[in-house]
Amino acid sequence: MDDSRLPAPAHPAADHGLIRTWVTGWALSRGTPAPVEHPWGLYMEIGDKLLVGRHVLLHADAATVREAAAVVTVPETWLMVFAEPEQVASWLPPDWEVDHAETGHLMAADLRTSDPVPPDGYTRTVETRDRVTYVQVHDATGEPAACGQTAVLGDAAVMDRIHTEEAHRRRGLGRLVMRTLADSAVAAGATLGLLGATPQGRALYETLEWRAHTILTECVYRP
């Protein structure tokens, strides 16, 4: 693997091009509207009662955080800031809080094929719809065991919704899903993978040679 292609870790300034690609791919993967440009970055309309929308800030400083927060009037609207949580917390106006459970890392990897094989007792399906590829893993009874999906944007692939059911963890299914998605993305012309990782997920991805590019801190408006 050629690590020279991977973006170097950056705290707090992150690569704006990578962020834009990741946000656009995430929206494509989730079937939400395309991100909208704002002076401070991008806005993603999501429409969930616990995640109305998310402002993704391209600059990590107090003025940018306060400018973006000032336009928010609807509870459960979020800000994503590429800086350490403690620093971001000091910039937030009243009625905002850092959600430490949702804070994670933007990660990247050079993609390569590996032709993974499901473990004994499991089957895998791969399906592509509307530029998004879905991987499903089932156990011998046909019950869902693991899943994931990826959206390809040119030479980049955004991995999303990687999940293994509790009863099927520690059996290599997460690796199977990730490697299958990588194979599919490479076949579609992608060479760089991007994803947003929780602290728990990061440990898995690092075993697959993914690297943390920058921390991402999630903040939510809860008046």
Side-chain angles (χ1 to χ4, degrees), residues 151-204:
V152 175
L153 302 168
D155 64 355
V158 176
M159 309 296 182
D160 188 26
R161 286 179 165 165
I162 312 301
H163 176 73
T164 302
E165 297 294 334
E166 181 69 35
H168 299 278
R169 292 178 182 173
R170 298 180 179 84
R171 301 183 188 183
L173 300 185
R175 292 179 178 84
L176 171 67
V177 169
M178 287 292 293
R179 288 174 171 157
T180 302
L181 290 172
D183 281 12
S184 174
V186 170
T191 57
L192 178 67
L194 297 170
L195 60 79
T198 63
Q200 296 82 3
R202 178 182 174 181
L204 165 65

CSV table of all heavy atoms in Angstrom, one decimal, residues 151-204:
chain,number,residue,atom,x,y,z
A,151,ALA,N,-21.0,4.9,-1.8
A,151,ALA,CA,-21.3,5.8,-3.0
A,151,ALA,C,-20.0,6.2,-3.6
A,151,ALA,O,-19.1,6.7,-3.0
A,151,ALA,CB,-22.1,7.0,-2.5
A,152,VAL,N,-20.0,6.0,-5.0
A,152,VAL,CA,-18.7,6.4,-5.7
A,152,VAL,C,-18.9,7.7,-6.4
A,152,VAL,O,-19.9,7.9,-7.1
A,152,VAL,CB,-18.4,5.3,-6.7
A,152,VAL,CG1,-17.2,5.6,-7.6
A,152,VAL,CG2,-18.1,3.9,-6.0
A,153,LEU,N,-18.0,8.6,-6.2
A,153,LEU,CA,-17.9,9.9,-6.8
A,153,LEU,C,-16.6,10.0,-7.5
A,153,LEU,O,-15.6,10.4,-6.9
A,153,LEU,CB,-18.1,11.0,-5.8
A,153,LEU,CG,-19.3,11.0,-4.9
A,153,LEU,CD1,-19.2,12.0,-3.8
A,153,LEU,CD2,-20.6,11.3,-5.8
A,154,GLY,N,-16.5,9.7,-8.8
A,154,GLY,CA,-15.3,9.8,-9.6
A,154,GLY,C,-14.3,8.8,-9.0
A,154,GLY,O,-14.6,7.6,-9.0
A,155,ASP,N,-13.1,9.3,-8.5
A,155,ASP,CA,-12.1,8.4,-8.0
A,155,ASP,C,-12.2,8.2,-6.5
A,155,ASP,O,-11.3,7.6,-5.9
A,155,ASP,CB,-10.7,8.9,-8.4
A,155,ASP,CG,-10.3,10.2,-7.8
A,155,ASP,OD1,-11.2,10.8,-7.1
A,155,ASP,OD2,-9.2,10.7,-8.0
A,156,ALA,N,-13.3,8.6,-5.9
A,156,ALA,CA,-13.4,8.5,-4.5
A,156,ALA,C,-14.7,7.7,-4.2
A,156,ALA,O,-15.7,7.8,-4.9
A,156,ALA,CB,-13.5,9.8,-3.8
A,157,ALA,N,-14.6,6.9,-3.1
A,157,ALA,CA,-15.8,6.1,-2.6
A,157,ALA,C,-16.0,6.4,-1.2
A,157,ALA,O,-15.1,6.4,-0.4
A,157,ALA,CB,-15.5,4.6,-2.8
A,158,VAL,N,-17.2,6.7,-0.8
A,158,VAL,CA,-17.6,7.0,0.5
A,158,VAL,C,-18.3,5.8,1.2
A,158,VAL,O,-19.4,5.5,0.7
A,158,VAL,CB,-18.5,8.3,0.6
A,158,VAL,CG1,-19.0,8.6,2.0
A,158,VAL,CG2,-17.8,9.5,0.0
A,159,MET,N,-17.7,5.2,2.1
A,159,MET,CA,-18.2,4.1,2.8
A,159,MET,C,-19.2,4.6,3.9
A,159,MET,O,-19.0,5.6,4.6
A,159,MET,CB,-17.1,3.2,3.5
A,159,MET,CG,-16.0,2.9,2.5
A,159,MET,SD,-16.5,1.8,1.2
A,159,MET,CE,-15.0,1.5,0.3
A,160,ASP,N,-20.3,3.8,4.1
A,160,ASP,CA,-21.3,4.3,5.0
A,160,ASP,C,-22.1,3.1,5.6
A,160,ASP,O,-22.2,2.0,5.0
A,160,ASP,CB,-22.3,5.2,4.1
A,160,ASP,CG,-23.3,5.9,5.0
A,160,ASP,OD1,-23.1,6.2,6.1
A,160,ASP,OD2,-24.4,6.2,4.4
A,161,ARG,N,-22.7,3.4,6.8
A,161,ARG,CA,-23.6,2.4,7.4
A,161,ARG,C,-23.0,1.0,7.6
A,161,ARG,O,-23.7,0.0,7.3
A,161,ARG,CB,-24.9,2.4,6.7
A,161,ARG,CG,-25.8,3.6,7.0
A,161,ARG,CD,-27.1,3.6,6.2
A,161,ARG,NE,-28.0,4.6,6.7
A,161,ARG,CZ,-29.1,5.0,6.1
A,161,ARG,NH1,-29.4,4.5,4.9
A,161,ARG,NH2,-29.9,5.9,6.7
A,162,ILE,N,-21.7,1.0,8.0
A,162,ILE,CA,-21.1,-0.3,8.2
A,162,ILE,C,-21.6,-0.8,9.6
A,162,ILE,O,-21.4,-0.2,10.6
A,162,ILE,CB,-19.6,-0.2,8.2
A,162,ILE,CG1,-19.1,0.6,7.0
A,162,ILE,CG2,-18.9,-1.6,8.3
A,162,ILE,CD1,-19.5,0.0,5.6
A,163,HIS,N,-22.2,-2.0,9.6
A,163,HIS,CA,-22.8,-2.5,10.8
A,163,HIS,C,-22.8,-4.0,10.9
A,163,HIS,O,-23.0,-4.7,9.9
A,163,HIS,CB,-24.2,-2.0,11.0
A,163,HIS,CG,-24.9,-2.5,12.2
A,163,HIS,ND1,-24.7,-2.1,13.4
A,163,HIS,CD2,-25.9,-3.5,12.3
A,163,HIS,CE1,-25.4,-2.8,14.3
A,163,HIS,NE2,-26.2,-3.6,13.6
A,164,THR,N,-22.4,-4.5,12.1
A,164,THR,CA,-22.5,-6.0,12.3
A,164,THR,C,-23.5,-6.2,13.5
A,164,THR,O,-23.3,-5.5,14.5
A,164,THR,CB,-21.2,-6.6,12.6
A,164,THR,OG1,-20.3,-6.3,11.5
A,164,THR,CG2,-21.3,-8.1,12.9
A,165,GLU,N,-24.4,-7.1,13.4
A,165,GLU,CA,-25.3,-7.4,14.5
A,165,GLU,C,-24.5,-7.9,15.6
A,165,GLU,O,-23.5,-8.7,15.5
A,165,GLU,CB,-26.4,-8.4,14.0
A,165,GLU,CG,-27.3,-7.9,12.9
A,165,GLU,CD,-28.2,-6.7,13.3
A,165,GLU,OE1,-28.5,-6.6,14.6
A,165,GLU,OE2,-28.6,-5.9,12.5
A,166,GLU,N,-25.0,-7.6,16.8
A,166,GLU,CA,-24.3,-8.0,18.1
A,166,GLU,C,-24.0,-9.5,18.1
A,166,GLU,O,-22.8,-9.8,18.5
A,166,GLU,CB,-25.2,-7.6,19.3
A,166,GLU,CG,-24.5,-7.9,20.6
A,166,GLU,CD,-23.3,-7.0,20.9
A,166,GLU,OE1,-23.3,-5.8,20.6
A,166,GLU,OE2,-22.4,-7.5,21.5
A,167,ALA,N,-24.9,-10.3,17.8
A,167,ALA,CA,-24.7,-11.8,17.9
A,167,ALA,C,-23.7,-12.3,16.9
A,167,ALA,O,-23.2,-13.5,17.0
A,167,ALA,CB,-26.0,-12.5,17.7
A,168,HIS,N,-23.3,-11.5,15.9
A,168,HIS,CA,-22.3,-11.9,14.9
A,168,HIS,C,-21.0,-11.2,14.9
A,168,HIS,O,-20.2,-11.3,13.9
A,168,HIS,CB,-23.0,-11.8,13.5
A,168,HIS,CG,-24.3,-12.6,13.4
A,168,HIS,ND1,-24.3,-13.9,13.1
A,168,HIS,CD2,-25.6,-12.2,13.6
A,168,HIS,CE1,-25.5,-14.4,13.0
A,168,HIS,NE2,-26.4,-13.4,13.3
A,169,ARG,N,-20.7,-10.5,15.9
A,169,ARG,CA,-19.5,-9.7,16.0
A,169,ARG,C,-18.3,-10.6,16.3
A,169,ARG,O,-18.5,-11.7,16.8
A,169,ARG,CB,-19.6,-8.6,17.0
A,169,ARG,CG,-20.6,-7.5,16.5
A,169,ARG,CD,-20.8,-6.4,17.5
A,169,ARG,NE,-21.8,-5.5,16.9
A,169,ARG,CZ,-22.3,-4.4,17.5
A,169,ARG,NH1,-21.9,-4.2,18.8
A,169,ARG,NH2,-23.2,-3.7,17.0
A,170,ARG,N,-17.1,-10.1,16.0
A,170,ARG,CA,-15.9,-10.8,16.2
A,170,ARG,C,-15.8,-12.1,15.3
A,170,ARG,O,-15.1,-13.1,15.7
A,170,ARG,CB,-15.6,-11.2,17.6
A,170,ARG,CG,-15.5,-9.9,18.5
A,170,ARG,CD,-15.3,-10.2,20.0
A,170,ARG,NE,-15.2,-9.0,20.8
A,170,ARG,CZ,-16.3,-8.3,21.2
A,170,ARG,NH1,-17.5,-8.8,21.0
A,170,ARG,NH2,-16.1,-7.2,21.9
A,171,ARG,N,-16.4,-12.1,14.2
A,171,ARG,CA,-16.3,-13.2,13.2
A,171,ARG,C,-15.8,-12.8,11.9
A,171,ARG,O,-15.9,-13.5,10.9
A,171,ARG,CB,-17.7,-13.9,13.1
A,171,ARG,CG,-18.2,-14.4,14.4
A,171,ARG,CD,-19.6,-15.1,14.2
A,171,ARG,NE,-20.2,-15.4,15.5
A,171,ARG,CZ,-21.3,-16.1,15.7
A,171,ARG,NH1,-21.9,-16.5,14.6
A,171,ARG,NH2,-21.8,-16.3,16.9
A,172,GLY,N,-15.3,-11.5,11.8
A,172,GLY,CA,-14.7,-11.1,10.5
A,172,GLY,C,-15.7,-10.5,9.6
A,172,GLY,O,-15.3,-10.2,8.4
A,173,LEU,N,-16.9,-10.3,10.0
A,173,LEU,CA,-18.0,-9.9,9.0
A,173,LEU,C,-17.8,-8.4,8.7
A,173,LEU,O,-18.1,-8.0,7.5
A,173,LEU,CB,-19.4,-10.1,9.6
A,173,LEU,CG,-19.7,-11.6,9.9
A,173,LEU,CD1,-21.2,-11.7,10.3
A,173,LEU,CD2,-19.4,-12.5,8.7
A,174,GLY,N,-17.3,-7.6,9.6
A,174,GLY,CA,-17.1,-6.2,9.3
A,174,GLY,C,-16.0,-6.0,8.3
A,174,GLY,O,-16.1,-5.3,7.3
A,175,ARG,N,-14.9,-6.8,8.4
A,175,ARG,CA,-13.9,-6.8,7.4
A,175,ARG,C,-14.4,-7.3,6.0
A,175,ARG,O,-14.0,-6.8,5.0
A,175,ARG,CB,-12.7,-7.7,7.9
A,175,ARG,CG,-12.0,-7.2,9.1
A,175,ARG,CD,-10.8,-8.1,9.5
A,175,ARG,NE,-10.1,-7.5,10.6
A,175,ARG,CZ,-10.5,-7.7,11.9
A,175,ARG,NH1,-11.6,-8.4,12.2
A,175,ARG,NH2,-9.8,-7.1,12.9
A,176,LEU,N,-15.2,-8.4,6.1
A,176,LEU,CA,-15.8,-8.9,4.8
A,176,LEU,C,-16.6,-7.8,4.1
A,176,LEU,O,-16.4,-7.6,2.9
A,176,LEU,CB,-16.7,-10.0,5.1
A,176,LEU,CG,-17.6,-10.6,4.0
A,176,LEU,CD1,-16.7,-11.2,2.9
A,176,LEU,CD2,-18.6,-11.5,4.4
A,177,VAL,N,-17.4,-7.0,4.9
A,177,VAL,CA,-18.2,-6.0,4.2
A,177,VAL,C,-17.3,-4.9,3.7
A,177,VAL,O,-17.5,-4.4,2.5
A,177,VAL,CB,-19.2,-5.4,5.3
A,177,VAL,CG1,-19.8,-4.1,4.7
A,177,VAL,CG2,-20.3,-6.4,5.6
A,178,MET,N,-16.3,-4.4,4.5
A,178,MET,CA,-15.5,-3.4,4.0
A,178,MET,C,-14.7,-3.8,2.8
A,178,MET,O,-14.5,-3.0,1.8
A,178,MET,CB,-14.5,-3.0,5.1
A,178,MET,CG,-15.2,-2.2,6.3
A,178,MET,SD,-15.7,-0.5,5.7
A,178,MET,CE,-14.1,0.3,5.4
A,179,ARG,N,-14.1,-5.0,2.8
A,179,ARG,CA,-13.3,-5.4,1.6
A,179,ARG,C,-14.2,-5.7,0.4
A,179,ARG,O,-13.8,-5.4,-0.7
A,179,ARG,CB,-12.6,-6.7,2.0
A,179,ARG,CG,-11.4,-6.4,3.0
A,179,ARG,CD,-10.8,-7.7,3.5
A,179,ARG,NE,-9.5,-7.3,4.2
A,179,ARG,CZ,-9.0,-8.1,5.1
A,179,ARG,NH1,-9.5,-9.3,5.4
A,179,ARG,NH2,-7.9,-7.8,5.8
A,180,THR,N,-15.4,-6.1,0.6
A,180,THR,CA,-16.3,-6.3,-0.5
A,180,THR,C,-16.7,-4.9,-1.1
A,180,THR,O,-16.7,-4.8,-2.4
A,180,THR,CB,-17.6,-7.0,-0.1
A,180,THR,OG1,-17.2,-8.3,0.5
A,180,THR,CG2,-18.5,-7.2,-1.3
A,181,LEU,N,-17.0,-4.0,-0.3
A,181,LEU,CA,-17.3,-2.6,-0.8
A,181,LEU,C,-16.1,-2.0,-1.5
A,181,LEU,O,-16.2,-1.3,-2.5
A,181,LEU,CB,-17.7,-1.7,0.4
A,181,LEU,CG,-19.0,-2.0,1.1
A,181,LEU,CD1,-19.2,-1.1,2.3
A,181,LEU,CD2,-20.2,-1.7,0.1
A,182,ALA,N,-14.9,-2.2,-1.0
A,182,ALA,CA,-13.7,-1.7,-1.7
A,182,ALA,C,-13.5,-2.4,-3.0
A,182,ALA,O,-13.2,-1.7,-4.0
A,182,ALA,CB,-12.4,-2.0,-0.8
A,183,ASP,N,-13.7,-3.7,-3.1
A,183,ASP,CA,-13.7,-4.3,-4.4
A,183,ASP,C,-14.6,-3.7,-5.4
A,183,ASP,O,-14.3,-3.4,-6.6
A,183,ASP,CB,-14.0,-5.8,-4.3
A,183,ASP,CG,-12.8,-6.6,-3.8
A,183,ASP,OD1,-11.8,-6.0,-3.3
A,183,ASP,OD2,-12.8,-7.9,-3.8
A,184,SER,N,-15.9,-3.5,-5.0
A,184,SER,CA,-16.9,-2.9,-5.8
A,184,SER,C,-16.5,-1.5,-6.2
A,184,SER,O,-16.7,-1.1,-7.4
A,184,SER,CB,-18.2,-2.9,-5.1
A,184,SER,OG,-19.2,-2.2,-5.8
A,185,ALA,N,-16.0,-0.7,-5.3
A,185,ALA,CA,-15.6,0.7,-5.6
A,185,ALA,C,-14.4,0.7,-6.6
A,185,ALA,O,-14.4,1.6,-7.5
A,185,ALA,CB,-15.2,1.4,-4.3
A,186,VAL,N,-13.4,-0.1,-6.4
A,186,VAL,CA,-12.3,-0.2,-7.4
A,186,VAL,C,-12.8,-0.5,-8.8
A,186,VAL,O,-12.4,0.0,-9.8
A,186,VAL,CB,-11.2,-1.2,-6.9
A,186,VAL,CG1,-10.2,-1.4,-8.0
A,186,VAL,CG2,-10.6,-0.6,-5.6
A,187,ALA,N,-13.7,-1.5,-8.9
A,187,ALA,CA,-14.3,-1.9,-10.1
A,187,ALA,C,-15.0,-0.7,-10.8
A,187,ALA,O,-15.1,-0.6,-12.0
A,187,ALA,CB,-15.2,-3.1,-10.0
A,188,ALA,N,-15.5,0.2,-10.0
A,188,ALA,CA,-16.2,1.4,-10.5
A,188,ALA,C,-15.3,2.6,-10.8
A,188,ALA,O,-15.8,3.7,-11.2
A,188,ALA,CB,-17.3,1.8,-9.6
A,189,GLY,N,-14.0,2.4,-10.6
A,189,GLY,CA,-13.0,3.4,-10.9
A,189,GLY,C,-12.5,4.2,-9.7
A,189,GLY,O,-11.7,5.1,-9.9
A,190,ALA,N,-12.9,3.9,-8.5
A,190,ALA,CA,-12.4,4.6,-7.3
A,190,ALA,C,-11.0,4.1,-6.8
A,190,ALA,O,-10.7,2.9,-6.9
A,190,ALA,CB,-13.4,4.5,-6.2
A,191,THR,N,-10.2,5.0,-6.3
A,191,THR,CA,-8.9,4.7,-5.8
A,191,THR,C,-8.8,5.1,-4.3
A,191,THR,O,-7.9,4.6,-3.6
A,191,THR,CB,-7.8,5.3,-6.6
A,191,THR,OG1,-8.0,6.7,-6.7
A,191,THR,CG2,-7.8,4.8,-8.0
A,192,LEU,N,-9.6,6.0,-3.9
A,192,LEU,CA,-9.5,6.6,-2.5
A,192,LEU,C,-10.8,6.3,-1.8
A,192,LEU,O,-11.9,6.6,-2.3
A,192,LEU,CB,-9.2,8.1,-2.6
A,192,LEU,CG,-9.1,8.8,-1.2
A,192,LEU,CD1,-7.9,8.3,-0.4
A,192,LEU,CD2,-9.1,10.3,-1.4
A,193,GLY,N,-10.7,5.8,-0.6
A,193,GLY,CA,-11.9,5.6,0.2
A,193,GLY,C,-12.0,6.6,1.3
A,193,GLY,O,-11.0,7.0,1.9
A,194,LEU,N,-13.2,7.0,1.7
A,194,LEU,CA,-13.4,8.0,2.8
A,194,LEU,C,-14.6,7.5,3.6
A,194,LEU,O,-15.5,6.8,3.1
A,194,LEU,CB,-13.8,9.4,2.2
A,194,LEU,CG,-12.8,10.1,1.4
A,194,LEU,CD1,-13.4,11.3,0.7
A,194,LEU,CD2,-11.6,10.5,2.2
A,195,LEU,N,-14.5,7.7,4.9
A,195,LEU,CA,-15.6,7.4,5.8
A,195,LEU,C,-15.5,8.2,7.1
A,195,LEU,O,-14.5,8.7,7.5
A,195,LEU,CB,-15.7,5.9,6.1
A,195,LEU,CG,-14.5,5.2,6.8
A,195,LEU,CD1,-14.5,5.4,8.3
A,195,LEU,CD2,-14.6,3.7,6.5
A,196,GLY,N,-16.7,8.4,7.8
A,196,GLY,CA,-16.7,8.9,9.1
A,196,GLY,C,-16.8,7.8,10.1
A,196,GLY,O,-17.7,7.0,10.0
A,197,ALA,N,-15.9,7.8,11.0
A,197,ALA,CA,-15.8,6.6,11.9
A,197,ALA,C,-16.1,7.0,13.4
A,197,ALA,O,-15.6,8.1,13.8
A,197,ALA,CB,-14.4,6.0,11.9
A,198,THR,N,-16.8,6.2,14.1
A,198,THR,CA,-16.9,6.3,15.5
A,198,THR,C,-15.6,5.8,16.2
A,198,THR,O,-14.8,5.1,15.5
A,198,THR,CB,-18.1,5.5,16.1
A,198,THR,OG1,-17.8,4.1,15.8
A,198,THR,CG2,-19.4,5.9,15.4
A,199,PRO,N,-15.4,6.1,17.4
A,199,PRO,CA,-14.2,5.6,18.1
A,199,PRO,C,-14.2,4.1,18.0
A,199,PRO,O,-13.1,3.5,17.8
A,199,PRO,CB,-14.3,6.1,19.5
A,199,PRO,CG,-15.1,7.4,19.4
A,199,PRO,CD,-16.1,7.1,18.3
A,200,GLN,N,-15.3,3.4,18.2
A,200,GLN,CA,-15.3,1.9,18.1
A,200,GLN,C,-15.0,1.4,16.7
A,200,GLN,O,-14.3,0.5,16.5
A,200,GLN,CB,-16.7,1.4,18.5
A,200,GLN,CG,-17.0,1.7,20.0
A,200,GLN,CD,-17.6,3.1,20.2
A,200,GLN,OE1,-17.8,3.9,19.2
A,200,GLN,NE2,-17.9,3.5,21.4
A,201,GLY,N,-15.6,2.1,15.7
A,201,GLY,CA,-15.4,1.7,14.3
A,201,GLY,C,-14.0,2.0,13.9
A,201,GLY,O,-13.4,1.2,13.1
A,202,ARG,N,-13.4,3.0,14.4
A,202,ARG,CA,-12.0,3.4,14.0
A,202,ARG,C,-11.0,2.2,14.2
A,202,ARG,O,-10.2,1.9,13.4
A,202,ARG,CB,-11.5,4.6,14.7
A,202,ARG,CG,-10.1,5.0,14.4
A,202,ARG,CD,-9.6,6.2,15.2
A,202,ARG,NE,-8.2,6.4,15.0
A,202,ARG,CZ,-7.5,7.4,15.6
A,202,ARG,NH1,-8.1,8.2,16.4
A,202,ARG,NH2,-6.2,7.6,15.3
A,203,ALA,N,-11.2,1.5,15.3
A,203,ALA,CA,-10.3,0.4,15.6
A,203,ALA,C,-10.4,-0.7,14.5
A,203,ALA,O,-9.3,-1.3,14.1
A,203,ALA,CB,-10.7,-0.3,17.0
A,204,LEU,N,-11.6,-1.0,14.0
A,204,LEU,CA,-11.7,-2.0,12.9
A,204,LEU,C,-11.0,-1.4,11.7
A,204,LEU,O,-10.3,-2.2,11.0
A,204,LEU,CB,-13.2,-2.3,12.6
A,204,LEU,CG,-13.5,-2.9,11.3
A,204,LEU,CD1,-12.9,-4.3,11.3
A,204,LEU,CD2,-15.0,-3.0,11.0
